[in-house]
Amino acid sequence: MFQKVLAGFGSGGAKVDARLLDRAVRPGGVLHGEVLLLGGQVDQEVDALGVTLLTRVETGDGGKTADLPVQTVRLADHETVRAGSQLRVPFEVHLPWETPVTTVFGKHLTGMAVGLQTNLDLAGAVVDPQDVDAVAVEPLPAQHRVLDAVSRLGFTFREAGMERDRLDGVDQQLPFLQEIAFGPSPAFERVFDRVVVTFLARPADVQVVLEVTKRVRVARGGGLGNRGQAFLGSFTVAHAAVGANWEQRLEGWLRQVAAPRGIFD
């Protein structure tokens, strides 16, 4: 997978190319690549060169989104790009464990965008970044096992996205989190609107947070109506425990949530 940023800068006409060496990477893993600086017609001074892993996040301001940094790596300082020369700079980006997933079995998750941006500062000028190379982030085995269990229970994937938010009572490292939304299975379609899965991965395990929106009947104007009520549940999946019967455990918790609780709940 070779994608070019190709940013011409200054009267010297030098260019910068970014190359990703990995087709896909997992949270907590390492993304390998290299940046190639191509000298132009004259020597040019580079004050700083780096790459930034970005993800598109909903900021909560009327549905607006922003590309926010997940990880930044500085690659070079005060380098000279000679006229007509090539300067190759390899890089490694260590992905945080909470890096969002963008693909499952090679299939893109609708709504997700993670990419790598090349940043270049020249002596006396900052070059605007041109393009962002898309990065495919596959789930960890534990994350994949949970998503598979949700699918096997009959829930259908709707969309995924990032929100600038924090969850109470969990050890969250990044200032935003991923939500993977599923439509209800036939067994729960009369009581659930949707189920949202959030992963908070760590070196030893993955904390899984489930948010279920339940249809609840309430008294309204002398009659009965429906409203959505959110229920949160969480559990931990060790990286070595992917073989457990998560379908049974998930279904058990979902049936507890689905149980009638009274019309004023």
Side-chain angles (χ1 to χ4, degrees):
M1 176 171 141
F2 187 89
Q3 300 188 17
K4 288 194 170 185
V5 176
L6 201 63
F9 51 85
S11 59
K15 297 179 176 65
V16 56
D17 297 339
R19 181 186 183 189
L20 302 181
L21 301 180
D22 298 313
R23 294 182 61 87
V25 68
R26 287 174 171 170
V30 180
L31 177 66
H32 300 86
E34 61 184 11
V35 172
L36 181 64
L37 291 173
L38 305 174
Q41 299 174 358
V42 298
D43 294 352
Q44 290 183 289
E45 298 296 325
V46 174
D47 282 347
L49 174 67
V51 292
T52 300
L53 189 72
L54 301 170
T55 185
R56 187 153 298 160
V57 180
E58 185 175 332
T59 60
D61 183 15
K64 294 182 179 179
T65 61
D67 293 336
L68 301 182
V70 177
Q71 189 75 291
T72 297
V73 178
R74 198 173 183 92
L75 302 178
D77 297 289
H78 307 297
E79 295 284 347
T80 299
V81 182
R82 300 296 181 187
S85 67
Q86 295 186 5
L87 180 61
R88 194 178 302 272
V89 184
F91 64 82
E92 293 183 349
V93 180
H94 293 260
L95 273 64
W97 286 96
E98 293 178 11
T99 301
V101 173
T102 66
T103 63
V104 179
F105 279 145
K107 183 177 180 180
H108 178 70
L109 292 180
T110 304
M112 290 307 306
V114 173
L116 192 77
Q117 185 180 71
T118 305
N119 309 306
L120 179 67
D121 292 350
L122 294 177
V126 176
V127 179
D128 291 334
Q130 301 297 304
D131 295 316
V132 177
D133 293 330
V135 177
V137 184
E138 289 279 351
L140 295 161
Q143 294 173 320
H144 191 280
R145 180 67 186 91
V146 171
L147 293 175
D148 185 55
V150 173
S151 179
R152 287 176 181 270
L153 289 174
F155 291 84
T156 54
F157 171 76
R158 282 184 178 172
E159 61 182 352
M162 299 292 295
E163 285 199 7
R164 194 166 189 169
D165 197 5
R166 287 190 174 274
L167 294 175
D168 295 333
V170 298
D171 184 18
Q172 183 178 337
Q173 300 299 313
L174 296 178
F176 36 74
L177 49 86
Q178 182 178 28
E179 294 186 338
I180 304 175
F182 293 84
S185 67
F188 293 101
E189 63 184 356
R190 298 186 64 182
V191 288
F192 293 160
D193 278 328
R194 67 174 191 163
V195 173
V196 176
V197 180
T198 293
F199 294 117
L200 296 173
R202 299 173 290 202
D205 54 33
V206 177
Q207 186 165 10
V208 183
V209 179
L210 297 178
E211 180 180 354
V212 179
T213 304
K214 182 181 178 182
R215 298 188 181 101
V216 181
R217 294 182 66 78
V218 295
R220 286 181 179 173
L224 292 176
N226 292 318
R227 66 174 172 83
Q229 183 175 2
F231 291 84
L232 286 176
S234 67
F235 57 92
T236 300
V237 182
H239 294 308
V242 295
N245 190 341
W246 292 108
E247 289 87 355
Q248 185 179 50
R249 299 186 186 187
L250 287 171
E251 186 175 23
W253 182 77
L254 291 170
R255 290 199 177 279
Q256 289 182 22
V257 175
R261 296 169 182 263
I263 62 174
F264 294 103
D265 287 350

